[in-house]
Each structure stands twice: as C-alpha cells, then as structure tokens.
Amino acid sequence: MEKITDTILLPETLKVSEIQQILEEVKTKIPIKENIKIDFQQLQNFDASGMQLILLLKKMKDKKIKIEFINFSENIHKKLLFYGYEN
Amino acid sequence: MADSFSQFLKIFQTEAAENVILLEENILLLEENPNDYEIMNIIFRAAHTIKGSAGLVGQKDIQEFMHAVEDLLDKLRNKELAVSDAIIDTILKSIDIVKKMLQNLKNNLSATDNVDYSNIYDTLKKHVSNEITQIISEETRTLSVVNTHIAAEHIYIIQCKFIPNILEQGIDPLMFLRDLSEMGKFIKIHINCNDIPEIEKYENDKIYLSWNVLFLSAKTLAEIRDVFLFVMDENKILIQDITEFIKHNDGEKLSEFSFGGLDILLIMDEYTEKTKTDININKKNYKKENSGNNNIQVKIDQEKNQINNAGSAEEKSSHVSQIAEETFVKVPTQKLDLLLNTVSELVISQSQITQTVEQMSGRHVDRLRELASLIDKHSRSLQEQTMSLRMINLGPTFQQFRRMIRDTAQANNKKVRLVISGEETELDKNIITRINDPLKHMIRNSIDHGIELPEIRRKAGKDETGVISLDAYYEEGSVVIVVKDDGAGLNREKIEQKIIEKQLAENTKDLSDSEIFKFIFMPGFSTADKVTAISGRGVGMDVVLTNIKELNGVVDIQSKLYEGSTFFLKLPLTLAIIDGMLLTVKEHVFILPLLSIEESFKPAGNLIQYVQGNMCVFFRGEYIRIIVLAELFGISGAHTDPSKGLLVVVKTAGIQYAILVDNLLAHQQIVLKPLKVNIKGISSATILGDGKVALDLDLNGIYNYT
C-alpha cells in the first residue's frame, strides 16, 4: 500500500495543468492527516491559477484546516505581494 | 464568417510582422543598452501583443511559443536574469522562428509546417529556469519609486473582474498587473478572494479572483486602457482617474469608488509616509553597505538623473500620448497605386482642358479660363497629396540592418556598431523596396572587407569596434543615402593592378580616385584575397550599381586607405513624377529627366569626329559619343547631322554622352506611366496636354543598346 505522506511539494511553476493533481492530493490527505505541509521549496513562478490555489490553501489555513506552509521563500513572498497577496 | 476570419488573420499577420520587426530592432538596442527600461518596455509589449493577437485568431502554436519568449523577457524585465549574449542570441533565434511561422501563414500553411522550434523552445525554458538572481539595491528601487512619483500626473482606480474561463483563452490575468507595473507604481493592490469556493467545489481552470488597483502613473487614461485592449469587451475592467478627488481630499466623492471596503485617502496617506521613510532608511543602508560599489553608484546616478529630468520625462510622456492618439489607417499599396494612377489621369485631362480653353474664343471664355485654372490648382494639389501617401521614411529600412550587421560581424569575428541618422528622410515606397538589396551588399562588403579584425584595429590605434553609419538627406530634389565605414579603406594600388590584370583599362594613372574606385562595381571585379561566404566573388557590388542605375540614381565613392570608405547613393524622390524636358525628333515627342541633362548646344561641324567608329563631339576637352535618336528608333526625315540639329549632353550613372534631337520643347513635370510592353531605350510614357503620347527615354538602356 502506498504510504501517504504529509507533504505536498509544489512544482517549479504552478499553473493550471498542475493544480488538479494538487487539489486531489489535498482532498485525499485532509481526512487522514493531522497536518498537511505545503512545501514551497521548488516553487519559482506561478500564473493566476497558481496564485489562486495558494490563496485557496491560505484561506483553508486561516480557517485552521490542517494546512501549513513550509519553505515559503522571500522570492515567492515578494511575488505574491506584488500581485496583491496580503499576510 | 470565414471571410471575416481570414481578414482577421491577415490583420494579425501584418501587425505581427510589424511587431516582430519592432521586437528585433529593440532586442539589438537592448544588447547595447541592457539597463534601458524604455527599450525593455517596448520589447515586452511587442512580444505580448504578438502572443495576445495570436491567441485571438486561434494561432495556438505562435501563442504558446511567444508565451515562452515572454517568460524569458519577464525575467529580464524583473532583473531576475541579466541581459547576456546567450540570451540575446536565443531571443533573436526565437524571432526567426516566429518570422518563419508568419511566413507559413502567409503561404496558407500551418504556422509550424517545417518549423522545428523544439530546440529553441527548450533553450528558452532553460534560460527561464536557470535564474541568476540579481539583487537590485533597495536604494535603486526606492529612487525609482520617487522618480515615478515625481513624473506622475494621475492616480487611477483600476478594477478587474475577469470571466471565469479566461485561462482557456491562454490569457493569464497576472500579466496585466505586470504590464501596468511598467507604466507606473502600484500604490495598493487589493485582491478579492471572496469568490473562491470551498475546495470541494473548486474548479482548477476557473478564475474566481478579482483585483482593485490604486495606481500612480504619468500615462493617460487611453494608454492605461490599451493594456487591457484585448480583454476589454468580455471582461469587466473599470479604469477611473481619481487624481482630482485625491488632490482635493474629496472623501465624499472617493467613497463612491469601491476599493474592497478600504478608505482610499487613508491608503494614500500611508503610501506617502511609507515612501518618505523608505527613502531615509535606504539612504542610510546604502551608505553603510555599499560604499565603493561603483556599479550600484552608476545605477543610482542614472536614477538621480532621471529624477532631475522629471520635467523632460513628462514632456516625453505627453509626446508619446500624442503619437498614440494619432489615428492610422492601413491601406494596401495596390489601392494607393490605383489612386495615384487615377489622379494622374485627372491631371492629364486637366492639362487638356486648359490647352483647349486657351484655343477658344467667345463670350464665356474668360470665366472658363478662370475655372480651368482653379481646377488645375486643385488637381495639382491632389496629386501632390497623393504622392505624399507613397512616401515613407527610411527609418525601418535602416533599422532592419542592425540584425544583419550583428550576425555578419559575429560570423567574421569582428565587432561592429551601427550608427543611424537621417531616418526621417522620405522616399517613394517603390524606391525603398528596391534599395534594400544594394544597401545589403554594401554593408556586407563593408563588414567583410572594410572593418578590420579587433586586434588589427587595436594595433592601428583604432577602437576595436568598427562603426558603420547609415545616413540620408535631401539634396537638389533627390535623396542621398550615405553608407560609411571606418575600416581599412579601398586600396587604389590593388584596384589598379586588378584593372590592368583584367584589361579593363590601359592606363589608370590619369584616372581620379573616384573613377578608379568605381571599378569595384564592375561584374566579377574583386580584390579580395579570399572568397568568403559573404563576399569576395565580385558579385554583389555590380548588383548595387545595376539597381541604382535602374532607379535613375548614381553612386559615388570616397575612400582613404586605413581610414574607411563612404558610398553615396543619389536617388530620385519618386519614380512616378519627374521634372522632364520635352524634346522632339520629327513629330515624335520624347522626355528626358531634367537632372540628367548637362547642357544642350548646336555644335560646329569641326567638333564632330569619328572615334573607333563612333560619332563623337568634342565637349569640354574630350570627345563624347553622339547617339542619334532618329536612327535608334527608325524615325525618318529627322536630323542625323549633328551640326543641323541639337545635341543634348546627358550624364547617367557616371556615363556621359550626347543625344541628337531636332528641338527642345519645354520643361514640364511629367507623370510617368509604366508601359505594358518592353521597348528598348524607353522606360515609360506620359500623355501630354494636347493628348499626344510622349516617351520617357531610358538613358542607361539607350547607351547599352547602342
């Protein structure tokens, strides 16, 4: 049986083609994991759909739904702020 | 529907081709000025427009490819990547790919037919992923903010609510924010996430976000709107100028604008305070951390200069707006030609009316004469205006050589810089099309044989980068195009050896430098020690002379050994109208371009001699050949004895000879009309006021024919 880890590693570029899989992963993990870690380590770039996913996850995180952001780089933070993201 | 689509596709092709040229020109400029923000803006917009328009006409391959180019440009623009030779090469190769794709569309093929762009696509992607993060000092950033602030005239509220399936159209809403950021400063961006559903109902390909932007910019409302040009219809984009309300602290008015429930005046206050504080903090940090860093100092100095020149920035901005507001209509050249033709017919008919009225008498003739004169004035004015429609400036022609010079210089391991002036000089479109090849050959020749290798230039005390300059100016009703290089210059001795070797002349010592240099235009004449891929076969330069001669133009050369060469191409402003001299041979009327006429005279019998079987006249110290038009065209009863007729001395493309005619009639502006048949010695025709046809003499053709 495949081991379900608690970390979702975001790809280098987050765009619409990658998002469905991440959504499915999050949906799968939520009921069985205590904390889901969203790993930003590789993420370099995103389009509007990528930004929207991050905002969706942030919304969930703010609602205390087992989401944790890790390796959230300054570069990505700056980019998100540029497009209107607020802490 | 299919018709309108194919029309859209045609419009796309034309516009994309223009943007590709713009892109190429500015990429080459960026290579020389890697920190020029304006150039980067132009590049980005050109690429972005090609991508956006390609998407709108369903050219997904072009759109996808340009998306990859845009990603790389975005990195450059955000200074996440530095401009390098490799990156410039990649972008230029990408431009070549797009050119091929557009050519395919023009040939009714699929864009990607026989276009292998996988390698270059991968290279683009690799550049994008290998980010070289260049940290720009915060000081520079802050000074940019101040700069923008000083130059700014407007504060806008921009509200963007996109249709949910905008991603399916290949449009990324974030790109609009990136584009805006190039035009000013975001005071505040508020992103509205309220419409994002719970994860169970979330659809990955839908956009739920909307943005409110408080934006500071010197650009006009129309320019800001242009950013959203492609999406304005389908999406909800509201742009409002609130500068006046902010200036007057009009809280009541501002409360009418929705900004995510935030108080706009409060945001402005915070922004002003933050900007002031940032400048102070960063000034201190900069002094502490970066003392002695010359590169950053240069950047700061540049930024400071920009701030000091804020007034001129505003002027520039207003000038740009003015240009943007001008309206242009694209008209196919065939339509212009047809219009010119009809107007020419009108002018000819008008001349006939005037001539007829002159021969009339009677009660109303004075009134008729007045009216004829008035119509004559208007039709001439109409003709001049129509002619001006065909006149285009030489700028794009000159600019297109940047790429060729770069590639040719690189292939020859040489360094060459292009300097352009006189871009605003205008020439008839037909002439411009036909001078491309001659200019190309001359420039290639300059790079291959003129400009020396960097080490040789260094040893000669020259800058290792050679300079080729292109210039144009008006002179005596003509346009002169100058191609100059600071290379090795022409070697008179070597050319003389070649002339003797090829038995082109017996004695070269008495010839002037200019006369000697003109031998390089002879077919098969080359002094190059080796044949290269570019030149050295002696083809090419003769193409220059042939093409220029066909345009009734002349070429002249000045050159100094070790200092460089200058080529002068003198061309008529237009091929459609000439200042002509009407002359007769018996009852036939011929036209000679006035510029070609040196002199006309009745020669005394003793001046006529036969030299090597040719009838010649002694003219200003030398014998020049006489061509008898009556014999050439088989006109019987006309003068064939020069002492009884009139000799007109003409000079064309450096050749001087005399034409024997019966009489000179008048000087007249002639509207030339092409002939449907090819007649040796005749280039075109016109209809005179009395309805007679006059034939325009092809002076080069006549000389070669006889």
Side-chain angles (χ1 to χ4, degrees):
Chain A
M1 205 174 116
E2 192 190 343
K3 192 184 170 194
I4 298 175
T5 62
D6 60 353
T7 304
I8 296 171
L9 182 64
L10 296 181
E12 199 176 302
T13 306
L14 193 53
K15 49 188 182 184
V16 71
S17 49
E18 284 91 9
I19 289 170
Q20 188 58 37
Q21 195 194 335
I22 297 167
L23 279 174
E24 291 308 320
E25 264 195 80
V26 175
K27 280 189 221 169
T28 318
K29 290 181 201 296
I30 283 176
I32 52 171
K33 285 285 170 190
E34 278 190 4
N35 243 343
I36 305 161
K37 289 176 183 158
I38 307 292
D39 191 341
F40 283 76
Q41 191 174 22
Q42 284 188 7
L43 186 66
Q44 294 289 328
N45 222 334
F46 49 81
D47 65 5
S49 68
M51 173 150 190
Q52 191 171 261
L53 176 77
I54 296 169
L55 288 167
L56 168 75
L57 297 169
K58 183 176 178 282
K59 257 175 109 172
M60 293 167 73
K61 182 172 160 259
D62 292 345
K63 286 183 186 170
K64 315 261 185 264
I65 309 180
K66 299 178 174 181
I67 301 271
E68 189 187 338
F69 287 177
I70 61 167
N71 295 319
F72 195 65
S73 71
E74 197 188 338
N75 180 30
I76 280 297
H77 191 213
K78 271 187 183 168
K79 273 190 180 165
L80 286 166
L81 289 177
F82 176 85
Y83 295 117
Y85 176 92
E86 282 169 359
N87 285 325
Chain B
M1 184 71 187
D3 271 357
S4 61
F5 181 76
S6 71
Q7 234 175 357
F8 280 135
L9 194 62
K10 266 191 185 160
I11 292 170
F12 161 71
Q13 286 169 26
T14 312
E15 287 183 351
E18 283 169 9
N19 278 304
V20 163
I21 292 170
L22 196 66
L23 194 56
E24 191 172 54
E25 279 173 16
N26 283 282
I27 284 292
L28 294 166
L29 288 177
L30 186 73
E31 190 176 29
E32 289 169 18
N33 312 279
N35 293 317
D36 194 313
Y37 196 63
E38 274 305 306
I39 295 174
M40 195 64 234
N41 269 348
I42 295 168
I43 291 169
F44 202 85
R45 270 191 215 141
H48 181 60
T49 308
I50 299 170
K51 186 187 91 171
S53 322
L56 288 177
V57 293
Q59 293 300 323
K60 297 286 176 200
D61 292 318
I62 299 180
Q63 185 189 21
E64 189 192 350
F65 186 72
M66 284 311 296
H67 188 77
V69 175
E70 201 183 51
D71 280 348
L72 178 55
L73 293 174
D74 194 33
K75 295 271 176 194
L76 295 177
R77 188 171 63 164
N78 296 335
K79 307 242 183 242
E80 290 167 33
L81 279 178
V83 174
S84 65
D85 286 351
I87 286 180
I88 296 286
D89 274 341
T90 306
I91 299 173
L92 287 174
K93 282 174 187 161
S94 306
I95 292 170
D96 292 341
I97 296 280
V98 180
K99 279 183 187 169
K100 282 182 193 165
M101 287 176 166
L102 292 173
Q103 189 57 42
N104 274 348
L105 292 183
K106 207 173 166 186
N107 296 336
N108 293 321
L109 299 169
S110 155
T112 51
D113 273 2
N114 297 319
V115 180
D116 180 10
Y117 61 94
S118 53
N119 283 346
I120 198 78
Y121 189 80
D122 289 345
T123 314
L124 282 167
K125 291 283 176 197
K126 275 179 195 160
H127 278 305
V128 171
S129 57
N130 290 335
E131 286 181 25
I132 305 160
T133 310
Q134 284 200 337
I135 297 166
I136 305 161
S137 82
E138 283 303 316
E139 177 77 357
T140 310
R141 278 184 196 280
T142 313
L143 284 167
S144 295
V145 170
V146 179
N147 180 23
T148 312
H149 189 76
I150 289 168
E153 291 175 331
H154 304 278
I155 298 165
Y156 297 99
I157 283 187
I158 303 168
Q159 294 166 304
C160 315
K161 172 79 184 155
F162 297 98
I163 51 167
N165 63 345
I166 190 162
L167 293 172
E168 286 171 22
Q169 298 175 6
I171 298 170
D172 175 13
L174 298 187
M175 77 183 180
F176 299 107
L177 296 174
R178 288 195 293 270
D179 285 354
L180 281 176
S181 74
E182 298 299 322
M183 302 171 81
K185 175 73 191 165
F186 295 140
I187 297 168
K188 175 92 180 167
I189 299 185
H190 176 256
I191 190 164
N192 181 5
C193 313
N194 294 341
D195 293 339
I196 300 180
E198 298 298 323
I199 192 164
E200 292 76 18
K201 291 180 186 166
Y202 190 92
E203 290 179 56
N204 64 323
D205 54 353
K206 296 264 184 301
I207 286 294
Y208 306 102
L209 299 174
S210 56
W211 283 264
N212 290 320
V213 182
L214 198 55
F215 189 55
L216 187 69
S217 173
K219 304 285 178 186
T220 63
L221 188 63
E223 286 171 301
I224 304 288
R225 276 182 200 281
D226 277 354
V227 172
F228 300 94
L229 194 65
F230 299 119
V231 294
M232 215 63 168
D233 291 343
E234 269 191 311
N235 299 274
K236 206 173 155 190
I237 311 292
L238 286 171
I239 306 168
Q240 286 153 313
D241 187 343
I242 57 164
T243 319
E244 287 306 307
F245 306 133
I246 298 275
K247 271 186 194 166
H248 299 108
N249 257 354
D250 193 340
E252 199 181 322
K253 272 278 176 202
L254 289 169
S255 64
E256 290 172 16
F257 299 100
S258 157
F259 199 84
L262 302 170
D263 184 332
I264 295 171
L265 279 177
L266 207 63
I267 297 170
M268 284 306 298
D269 283 348
E270 280 173 9
Y271 171 76
T272 314
E273 278 308 307
K274 188 177 178 299
T275 310
K276 280 185 203 163
T277 319
D278 282 352
I279 293 168
N280 290 334
I281 291 170
N282 285 299
K283 267 184 185 166
K284 284 177 195 162
N285 288 345
Y286 167 72
K287 279 178 188 159
K288 214 189 301 175
E289 294 167 16
N290 297 306
S291 56
N293 186 331
N294 292 335
N295 289 335
I296 293 174
Q297 184 59 53
V298 169
K299 271 187 184 170
I300 305 252
D301 289 345
Q302 284 167 348
E303 292 283 353
K304 279 179 182 166
N305 284 337
Q306 281 176 20
I307 293 169
N308 292 336
N309 293 332
S312 57
E314 282 178 41
E315 279 165 26
K316 198 174 165 187
S317 158
S318 117
H319 177 63
V320 171
S321 316
Q322 202 184 328
I323 292 167
E325 280 161 19
E326 276 185 48
T327 29
F328 293 94
V329 178
K330 284 199 169 96
V331 181
T333 42
Q334 298 97 308
K335 279 194 181 178
L336 281 184
D337 288 343
L338 199 64
L339 176 68
L340 181 68
N341 201 35
T342 312
V343 172
S344 306
E345 298 284 354
L346 175 73
V347 171
I348 290 165
S349 306
Q350 170 54 34
S351 305
Q352 288 171 331
I353 291 175
T354 308
Q355 210 158 333
T356 311
V357 172
E358 287 301 323
Q359 291 157 2
M360 286 167 71
S361 57
R363 210 152 52 99
H364 300 296
V365 76
D366 284 345
R367 179 71 187 134
L368 210 54
R369 200 170 287 142
E370 268 175 41
L371 288 174
S373 159
L374 197 65
I375 298 172
D376 183 58
K377 188 179 143 199
H378 292 318
S379 54
R380 299 263 167 210
S381 158
L382 180 64
Q383 187 184 33
E384 275 171 28
Q385 287 166 37
T386 312
M387 283 306 302
S388 76
L389 297 178
R390 290 159 54 100
M391 303 297 275
I392 53 176
N393 74 48
L394 278 159
T397 305
F398 283 177
Q399 289 291 352
Q400 68 175 346
F401 292 117
R402 279 194 190 281
R403 174 73 187 276
M404 191 198 84
I405 288 174
R406 178 188 186 272
D407 293 350
T408 314
Q410 267 187 4
N412 280 266
N413 299 318
K414 291 180 181 177
K415 290 184 177 176
V416 185
R417 186 163 60 88
L418 173 66
V419 176
I420 289 174
S421 51
E423 287 172 281
E424 67 292 340
T425 312
E426 289 185 333
L427 258 179
D428 189 296
K429 189 187 177 303
N430 289 345
I431 298 183
I432 286 197
T433 314
R434 289 164 66 182
I435 56 166
N436 255 334
D437 273 356
L439 287 176
K440 191 161 76 184
H441 285 301
M442 292 166 85
I443 294 168
R444 278 185 169 173
N445 217 60
S446 283
I447 300 172
D448 201 24
H449 303 308
I451 305 286
E452 313 89 332
L453 287 163
E455 58 271 24
I456 296 174
R457 289 182 65 88
R458 245 193 336 266
K459 278 180 196 163
K462 291 179 175 179
D463 189 309
E464 62 177 32
T465 302
V467 177
I468 291 182
S469 54
L470 293 174
D471 186 20
Y473 53 87
Y474 298 105
E475 188 183 86
E476 297 165 354
S478 302
V479 164
V480 180
I481 297 176
V482 185
V483 182
K484 186 178 177 185
D485 70 64
D486 69 345
L490 292 172
N491 188 331
R492 179 181 168 124
E493 213 173 290
K494 222 170 171 181
I495 296 171
E496 278 182 290
Q497 276 171 15
K498 206 77 180 177
I499 293 168
I500 302 294
E501 192 184 298
K502 286 188 169 272
Q503 297 178 332
L504 296 169
E506 284 172 8
N507 182 14
T508 53
K509 297 296 163 209
D510 297 336
L511 298 176
S512 66
D513 280 352
S514 174
E515 284 167 323
I516 289 287
F517 296 152
K518 277 184 187 162
F519 276 91
I520 67 167
F521 292 116
M522 299 280 286
F525 192 95
S526 174
T527 57
D529 297 326
K530 59 175 184 175
V531 172
T532 70
I534 303 160
S535 52
R537 291 185 194 280
V539 185
M541 290 310 267
D542 68 307
V543 171
V544 173
L545 191 64
T546 311
N547 286 21
I548 300 301
K549 270 182 182 176
E550 279 172 6
L551 294 169
N552 293 326
V554 288
V555 186
D556 199 11
I557 311 170
Q558 287 173 6
S559 184
K560 229 174 178 181
L561 196 59
Y562 309 122
E563 286 181 24
S565 306
T566 310
F567 293 81
F568 299 88
L569 310 183
K570 194 169 183 178
L571 296 155
L573 282 169
T574 173
L575 293 177
I577 293 186
I578 60 161
D579 268 327
M581 178 63 78
L582 300 181
L583 48 93
T584 57
V585 178
K586 203 65 187 161
E587 71 276 15
H588 300 279
V589 183
F590 294 94
I591 306 157
L592 268 178
L594 211 59
L595 282 173
S596 320
I597 300 176
E598 298 263 292
E599 204 170 313
S600 63
F601 64 103
K602 269 185 183 296
N606 62 341
L607 294 179
I608 311 297
Q609 290 286 331
Y610 278 83
V611 180
Q612 292 176 338
N614 291 318
M615 183 162 57
C616 295
V617 59
F618 193 72
F619 176 71
R620 297 196 181 178
E622 60 178 333
Y623 280 100
I624 61 168
R625 203 170 144 194
I626 298 172
I627 291 173
V628 183
L629 278 192
E631 285 175 1
L632 185 70
F633 295 117
I635 302 168
S636 55
H639 292 304
T640 50
D641 177 357
S643 59
K644 288 182 180 156
L646 190 73
L647 282 181
V648 183
V649 180
V650 293
K651 193 169 184 182
T652 175
I655 307 159
Q656 194 179 43
Y657 62 98
I659 295 173
L660 176 62
V661 301
D662 286 359
N663 219 341
L664 293 182
L665 276 186
H667 158 221
Q668 201 171 306
Q669 242 198 5
I670 312 280
V671 181
L672 297 174
K673 296 171 125 344
L675 294 170
K676 286 188 178 162
V677 287
N678 209 358
I679 304 173
K680 277 183 181 167
I682 302 293
S683 58
S684 51
T686 193
I687 301 165
L688 302 172
D690 59 3
K692 274 187 183 168
V693 173
L695 299 170
D696 175 39
L697 295 173
D698 168 13
L699 294 178
N700 290 316
I702 287 175
Y703 190 81
N704 294 331
Y705 183 38
T706 52

